[in-house]
Amino acid sequence: MQDRKIRIHDVAALAGVSVGSVSRVLNRAANVSAEVREQVERAVAALRYQPSHAARALRSRSSRTIGCLFSDVTNPLYARAFRALEESFRADGYMLLLANGLNDLERERESLRTFALRGMDGVVCAPGNERDPELIGLIDAMSMPVVLYDREMPTARTDAVLFDHVSGVRSACTQLFALGHRRIALALWDADSRPVRRRTEGYRAAYRAAGMEPPALILRQPTATSSVFDDLLRLLSAPDPPSALIAQGTHTLVSALRALAHAGLRVPQDFSVISIGDSDFAQTHVPAISVLRTNAGHVAAQVRCMLLERLNGARAAPPRKVLMPYELEMRASCGPPAR
């Protein structure tokens, strides 16, 4: 073979198929027989053909990329969510490009502008500033489909995959009530985001459903990765301290357990703990920490399904919302309150 750039026509000639068949194989289309796919793949390997992704994107108007904006990927739960999304879209030949918003408004605006300019096929979006009018306007102006990841934004056309925080936190409180706890602390970060709003709603609803007034035991931290150590110690030294805690996220959980140890309290003999979100730390801690968790794989599959349906022609359908349930897994970190 002479020293020149191998073209798609060369692959088609060697494989004995049409250029269109080669294109369908390269784009992972479903309407290709196993025999043709094998012939094309052998020809691609023999010729060491490297398709021009930029040219393919221009011809097909598809970049095979999905933009993903998360508020803060230092949160292990977002890292796990991104891995699940990446694996789910990979099966369809899409690459996910991650933008870490860091809960910074201008950074999130810039990320969305970049997604639009670079012609992503779709966007998965979980910004920290979901009420910002300019951010909402940027999403509404996008030419590609957008799926909101556990965010409520008054946009005209976005689909959303939402977590059922209200029922999840209610079930955690109800389980602790059944064990005899009445003063349950809730540790969240101080943000006007859907997860914070709905978890607070579920906490208060659980108390009222049990015929009790919600206590003033909600701890709010500056960020999702801030320590709750000092605030929890202050509560524990009060005249009527909590006997249990529901903690949002791994960082909050770790600092809470440090505070309990510092106060000389044992889990679960003296104090019960439930984490919102599962992690390797929660599973391997001694004792293992009870958790409210969602199935990251199922959530990713739902996001993929909604986005691909839009990409495959359902652009004009009304916006859809899917509510994903929480599962409460009781482990060794909960017991009756100490007498």
Side-chain angles (χ1 to χ4, degrees):
M1 177 70 65
Q2 58 182 340
D3 187 13
R4 64 173 177 82
K5 183 175 177 61
I6 302 299
R7 301 178 305 156
I8 192 171
H9 298 80
D10 300 315
V11 176
L14 182 60
V17 299
S18 69
V19 170
S21 293
V22 176
S23 179
R24 285 193 292 274
V25 171
L26 294 176
N27 286 297
R28 303 192 181 191
N31 59 335
V32 181
S33 70
E35 181 182 358
V36 168
R37 188 178 303 277
E38 184 180 349
Q39 289 172 223
V40 171
E41 288 174 349
R42 280 204 306 265
V44 167
L47 295 173
R48 297 183 182 179
Y49 174 62
Q50 296 290 330
S52 169
H53 293 284
R56 284 168 60 188
L58 285 172
R59 287 193 301 270
S60 66
R61 297 186 180 180
S62 171
S63 65
R64 310 302 293 180
T65 55
I66 304 293
C68 184
L69 170 62
F70 278 160
S71 56
D72 189 353
V73 296
T74 60
N75 183 335
L77 300 181
Y78 276 127
R80 177 174 291 183
F82 180 76
R83 287 199 302 270
L85 286 166
E86 189 176 42
E87 191 62 29
S88 185
F89 279 102
R90 182 172 175 269
D92 294 284
Y94 287 92
M95 175 180 289
L96 259 68
L97 299 182
L98 176 63
N100 187 12
L102 293 176
N103 295 299
D104 179 85
L105 178 55
E106 189 48 48
R107 190 180 178 113
E108 290 180 340
R109 290 171 177 171
E110 180 184 335
S111 296
L112 291 178
R113 292 190 196 104
T114 301
F115 287 164
L117 287 171
R118 296 197 175 184
M120 303 292 171
D121 289 341
V123 171
V124 180
C125 192
N129 299 277
E130 66 184 87
R131 297 298 181 90
D132 176 66
E134 185 174 341
L135 206 66
I136 294 168
L138 285 169
I139 290 174
D140 265 340
M142 284 188 162
S143 60
M144 68 283 290
V146 178
V147 174
L148 298 179
Y149 192 96
D150 201 28
R151 294 293 185 269
E152 288 173 319
M153 304 175 76
T155 62
R157 57 177 190 80
T158 51
D159 296 323
V161 173
L162 308 172
F163 297 167
D164 193 356
H165 302 288
V166 175
S167 294
V169 172
R170 281 190 64 165
S171 67
C173 288
T174 300
Q175 183 65 42
L176 291 169
F177 292 156
L179 291 170
H181 296 277
R182 295 297 177 264
R183 291 184 60 76
I184 304 167
L186 176 65
L188 305 170
W189 70 291
D190 192 15
D192 186 21
S193 67
R194 181 182 188 277
V196 172
R197 293 194 304 272
R198 296 305 182 208
R199 288 164 182 171
T200 303
E201 179 185 341
Y203 175 79
R204 291 172 175 158
Y207 268 95
R208 292 185 178 124
M212 295 182 280
E213 189 63 25
L217 293 175
I218 298 179
L219 303 175
R220 296 185 180 274
Q221 305 308 307
T223 72
T225 57
S226 296
S227 171
V228 76
F229 184 88
D230 292 333
D231 285 348
L232 185 54
L233 281 181
R234 176 179 51 79
L235 280 184
L236 293 173
S237 62
D240 194 8
S243 60
L245 171 73
I246 300 172
Q248 169 181 294
T250 305
H251 292 281
T252 301
L253 173 63
V254 171
S255 61
L257 293 171
R258 284 178 48 241
L260 294 173
H262 185 81
L265 297 177
R266 299 164 300 164
V267 176
Q269 294 92 333
D270 305 312
F271 200 92
S272 292
V273 177
I274 295 177
S275 172
I276 302 176
D278 203 359
S279 64
D280 293 339
F281 175 82
Q283 294 169 21
T284 59
H285 184 270
V286 180
I289 305 299
S290 301
V291 294
L292 276 171
R293 66 180 182 187
T294 57
N295 187 310
H298 290 172
V299 174
Q302 185 62 61
V303 171
R304 168 188 165 276
C305 179
M306 294 178 103
L307 205 53
L308 292 187
E309 282 180 5
R310 294 294 184 188
L311 289 171
N312 291 330
R315 295 291 183 100
R320 301 159 296 175
K321 293 182 180 179
V322 174
L323 198 61
M324 305 299 292
Y326 268 104
E327 174 192 356
L328 175 62
E329 181 173 334
M330 297 300 289
R331 295 172 181 159
S333 66
C334 293
R339 295 186 181 276

